[in-house]
Amino acid sequence: MGQSASASSHGYSSGYSSPGSSRRRYLTANQSESSSFSESNAQLSAVDDVDFTLEIPDECLALIFQSLSSGDRKRCSVVCRRWLAVEGESRHRLALNATADIHPHIPAIFTRFDSVTKLALRCDRKSISINDDGLALISLRCRNLTRLKLRGCRQVTDLGMSFIAKNCKVLKKFSCGSCTFGAEGMNALLDHCSTLEELSVKRLRGVNDGVVAAPIGPGAAAASLKSICLKELYNGLSFGPLILGSKNLKTLKLLRCLGDWDRLLETMAKREDNNLVEIHLERLQLSDIGLTAISKCPKLEILHLVKALDCTNAGVVAVAENCKLLRKLHIDGWRSNRIGDEGLIAIAKNSVNLQELVLIGLNPSSVSMSAIASNCKKLERLALCGSETIGDAEISYIAEKCVALRKLCIKGCHVSDQGIEAFAWGCPNLVKIKVKKCREVTSDFADWLRARRATLTVSLDVEEAEVEAVEVSASDAGEQEDGAEFPSSVSRATNAGVAGGVDVPSSQNAGRSSAYKPRLGIFGGRSLVACTFGRWLNTGNGSSNSGVL
């Protein structure tokens, strides 16, 4: 007892405790753990009830929505009422199925999407489209529209277009296709929309149906217009006053439009303030007179000449000798043999800035191909299609001399493994080569070339389904609604027959034009050029100055 008392008095413990005291300590520890666990659960529950997105400002949330795809935006809009409101207020681009059934819902749609500046109204052929009343209601709700696209709106007349013109005066881009309004509605748009910069008109039935079309333009919009695209119009020449009156016009596309276009181009060439940079001409009644007029455009950089059967070497030489700034040149001779060595040698001598060259249905000799390979030092993209004279020797010139070449497309030429072998060492900057319908090029050799140059993408005879899908996307990019222009004219031009297109025979050589129609050869199917460059369009590997690839 004395020892125990002494030890206790000095503050030491013997380590022994009674059973009662142990149970009390266990219960106390258990209660403490339970209490801590309950508090943690309560804190977690409180955290779960907190919506951290409430601290994100509406402006930041709107920026997040704008970076999402259309489907993700729709899913986010049903999360809560706030997200629904912010998503609607921040949506600037809207596409609607513009059938007649949409009319009762227009107020609700544009109450939610009250900030739309880019609007597309589309209706299929089997449905009844929105009418003038619906278009008037939309124009009142969307006074800040800068872009408007109408597709298949056959119930819209000149009256509906007048509503758009008067209520949407800040339009910068207008595009229509398969609509039924006419010259009066188009003139109303041009008179009131003084800031219009881009105009695209395709199969405008109100203009096509008239025997004598009323003149269109120039109007107040002529001062600001920079791009005009006319496609598949019987009375395309009715837009002549607009084209001639647009002093700041930089891009002109005339695709499958009836009429004698030589006179219009001659009149345009006489202007001192000719600022045209890009011209696309496809299946027009056009001769060397028109090409000579085009050669008087000193700022011309891009020219597409597709299936103009009356154009010869003389017209091409005039363009080459006078348009020193040419960067992109597409020529589809449709196997007429009217454009050949003389024109191509002139291009080689004068177009030192050429970066992109597409030759379809031409039969150049080794002399002209050697000249192009030797003189066009900046050539980065080259396509050779449907030529009966291009063989291994010409391809070897290209491999040896085209040092800057990055992308090459060959279709339907007499090229074999021996010619393609030159690219195992030549063209040090080449990143992609595509070969189709060249029977003497084998898949085994393509594999060898891939192994020889690991950085080179070699494409040989891709599947037709894949080709068609690529061409469709490329064709849509070519309508200037997303800024891409290369594939459209080439893809459409290399088809034997274009759905809904207009065949324009020459008045002077109608017999010859008809004779050439069956001689389409490999161009009766899909175009490799459009497929190839359509895919390259999204790679961004081209020159910064190309604007396409």
Side-chain angles (χ1 to χ4, degrees), residues 306-416:
V306 178
K307 291 184 173 66
L309 292 180
D310 293 330
C311 294
T312 68
N313 282 319
V316 175
V317 170
V319 172
E321 290 179 349
N322 295 286
C323 301
K324 302 292 186 179
L325 301 180
L326 268 181
R327 293 187 297 109
K328 301 178 184 179
L329 179 62
H330 294 203
I331 301 178
D332 184 350
W334 214 10
R335 295 187 173 182
S336 64
N337 291 325
R338 306 200 75 192
I339 299 175
D341 279 350
E342 183 182 350
L344 296 179
I345 290 173
I347 292 169
K349 289 181 178 180
N350 297 279
S351 304
V352 295
N353 295 312
L354 201 63
Q355 297 176 358
E356 181 174 294
L357 179 62
V358 176
L359 302 178
I360 302 174
L362 303 185
N363 293 318
S365 70
S366 58
V367 176
S368 57
M369 290 309 300
S370 176
I372 289 174
S374 300
N375 297 335
C376 299
K377 299 295 185 181
K378 298 181 180 180
L379 192 63
E380 295 183 357
R381 295 169 298 280
L382 176 62
L384 305 170
C385 301
S387 175
E388 298 175 356
T389 58
I390 292 179
D392 291 339
E394 289 73 24
I395 294 299
S396 298
Y397 285 134
I398 294 170
E400 180 182 355
K401 300 293 184 179
C402 295
V403 180
L405 195 66
R406 295 176 57 83
K407 295 171 183 178
L408 174 65
C409 174
I410 305 172
K411 176 180 178 180
C413 298
H414 297 292
V415 179
S416 67

Side-chain angles (χ1 to χ4, degrees), residues 60-69 73 76 83 86-87 90:
C60 295
L61 194 60
L63 290 175
I64 295 172
F65 288 153
Q66 289 173 6
S67 65
L68 300 178
S69 65
R73 287 193 66 149
C76 287
W83 284 27
V86 173
E87 195 277 332
S90 63

Side-chain angles (χ1 to χ4, degrees), residues 279-282 302-306 330 485-486 489-490:
I279 298 178
H280 293 224
L281 306 172
E282 180 179 331
I302 302 171
L303 175 61
H304 289 204
L305 183 62
V306 178
H330 294 203
E485 79 279 13
F486 177 79
S489 63
V490 179

Side-chain angles (χ1 to χ4, degrees), residues 282-294:
E282 180 179 331
R283 295 185 71 169
L284 300 178
Q285 183 177 329
L286 181 75
S287 69
D288 288 338
I289 297 174
L291 283 185
T292 303
I294 290 173

Side-chain angles (χ1 to χ4, degrees), residues 10-26:
H10 285 86
Y12 294 104
S13 172
S14 64
Y16 170 80
S17 59
S18 65
S21 62
S22 297
R23 181 175 177 80
R24 283 195 298 270
R25 283 199 303 274
Y26 173 77

Side-chain angles (χ1 to χ4, degrees), residues 14-64:
S14 64
Y16 170 80
S17 59
S18 65
S21 62
S22 297
R23 181 175 177 80
R24 283 195 298 270
R25 283 199 303 274
Y26 173 77
L27 291 174
T28 302
N30 242 4
Q31 290 172 355
S32 177
E33 289 179 4
S34 298
S35 177
S36 299
F37 184 73
S38 299
E39 291 176 1
S40 299
N41 278 344
Q43 291 174 357
L44 288 174
S45 299
V47 169
D48 289 340
D49 293 337
V50 175
D51 184 0
F52 292 102
T53 64
L54 294 176
E55 298 181 4
I56 302 176
D58 289 352
E59 294 79 4
C60 295
L61 194 60
L63 290 175
I64 295 172

Side-chain angles (χ1 to χ4, degrees), residues 411-428:
K411 176 180 178 180
C413 298
H414 297 292
V415 179
S416 67
D417 289 346
Q418 183 178 356
I420 302 299
E421 183 181 4
F423 294 102
W425 300 275
C427 296

